[in-house]
């Protein structure tokens, strides 16, 4: 069994050359608003290189490219970070790049692969994430994967004159085992 390969996608190492593909994703305000609480701003190559280098030099985070299994095209990335080895806990985040790759099931399959990696390869016991309440597709994805809402950061985000909550979700290894 290859823990990094699904039917539509595979998780691979992210290479520095992939940063050229990722750069335009941050020119898309919708992408930025789905993924980050920071203001939507284009990123420079040096900013992305610094982010990439932080993952390369760490034993508490993993960064995977999400690639189409048939074309090998980069369609997104997954981060496992903030790993607390003594507590067997980590954070997870997923980003699907161009709009033409969203809502095709890539996120679901990629998350399943990453969760299997977290629980069975890294032997973690808990994976957690945050999501903005307006990101309905992500909320649906996380619930479908078995994540449980555990908390709410009320009025966490201010965008376009409105306030939004940020929700905390968690998934335990024993819960994941019953789903797989």
């Amino acid at each position: 069994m290859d823990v990094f390969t699904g039917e539509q996608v595979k998780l691979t190492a992210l290479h520095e050359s992939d940063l050229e593909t990722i750069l335009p994703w941050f020119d898309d305000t919708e992408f930025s608003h789905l993924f980050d609480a920071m203001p939507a701003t284009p990123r420079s190559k040096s900013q992305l290189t610094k982010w990439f280098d932080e993952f390369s030099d760490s034993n508490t985070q993993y960064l995977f490219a999400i690639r189409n299994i048939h074309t090998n095209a980069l369609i997104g990335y997954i981060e496992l970070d903030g790993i607390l080895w003594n507590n067997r806990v980590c954070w997870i985040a997923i980003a699907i790049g161009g709009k033409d790759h969203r809502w095709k099931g890539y996120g679901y399959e990629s998350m399943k692969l990453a969760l299997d990696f977290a629980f069975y390869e890294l032997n973690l016991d808990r994976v957690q994430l945050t999501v903005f309440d307006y990101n309905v597709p992500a909320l649906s994805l996380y619930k479908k994967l078995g994540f449980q809402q555990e908390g709410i950061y009320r009025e966490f985000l201010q965008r376009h004159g409105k306030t939004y909550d940020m929700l905390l979700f968690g998934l335990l290894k024993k819960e994941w085992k019953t789903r797989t």
Side-chain angles (χ1 to χ4, degrees), residues 132-172:
F132 309 124
D133 65 355
Y134 60 76
N135 192 344
V136 175
L139 286 167
S140 175
L141 168 65
Y142 302 143
K143 289 175 183 176
K144 184 177 178 181
L145 288 163
F147 280 87
Q148 301 294 313
Q149 184 177 336
E150 299 176 335
I152 184 169
Y153 300 92
R154 297 175 302 134
E155 297 184 12
F156 182 85
L157 195 62
Q158 304 275 331
R159 288 220 161 111
H160 305 291
K162 296 181 182 177
T163 58
Y164 299 95
D165 297 336
M166 184 170 72
L167 310 174
L168 172 65
F169 280 80
L171 180 63
L172 304 177

Side-chain angles (χ1 to χ4, degrees), residues 21-176:
T21 302
I22 295 172
L23 266 170
W25 297 350
F26 284 97
D27 292 338
D28 176 7
T29 302
E30 181 182 1
F31 173 85
S32 295
H33 282 178
L34 292 174
F35 186 69
D36 201 342
M38 299 302 292
T41 58
R43 304 277 169 95
S44 68
K45 177 94 183 267
S46 63
Q47 287 172 310
L48 285 182
T49 300
K50 182 179 177 184
W51 164 77
F52 175 80
D53 290 342
E54 287 174 8
F55 278 91
S56 301
D57 297 332
S58 173
N59 71 345
T60 60
Q61 48 194 10
Y62 293 86
L63 177 62
F64 295 104
I66 303 169
R67 297 187 191 280
N68 180 294
I69 198 164
H70 304 292
T71 65
N72 207 40
L74 179 68
I75 59 176
Y77 57 87
I78 287 189
E79 303 172 3
L80 294 171
D81 61 10
I83 298 173
L84 299 172
W85 292 109
N86 58 323
N87 296 313
R88 298 175 48 208
V89 173
C90 82
W91 291 90
I92 193 167
I94 183 171
I96 301 295
K99 291 179 184 179
D100 54 331
H101 297 300
R102 296 181 200 151
W103 301 284
K104 294 188 176 179
Y106 298 144
Y108 178 75
E109 191 171 68
S110 300
M111 286 289 287
K112 282 177 59 177
L113 294 169
L115 289 166
D116 279 347
F117 176 76
F119 290 130
Y120 302 127
E121 291 294 314
L122 299 181
N123 198 33
L124 298 176
D125 190 53
R126 174 185 169 79
V127 176
Q128 57 195 20
L129 58 85
T130 56
V131 60
F132 309 124
D133 65 355
Y134 60 76
N135 192 344
V136 175
L139 286 167
S140 175
L141 168 65
Y142 302 143
K143 289 175 183 176
K144 184 177 178 181
L145 288 163
F147 280 87
Q148 301 294 313
Q149 184 177 336
E150 299 176 335
I152 184 169
Y153 300 92
R154 297 175 302 134
E155 297 184 12
F156 182 85
L157 195 62
Q158 304 275 331
R159 288 220 161 111
H160 305 291
K162 296 181 182 177
T163 58
Y164 299 95
D165 297 336
M166 184 170 72
L167 310 174
L168 172 65
F169 280 80
L171 180 63
L172 304 177
K173 184 176 187 173
K174 64 185 174 189
E175 296 165 339
W176 183 243

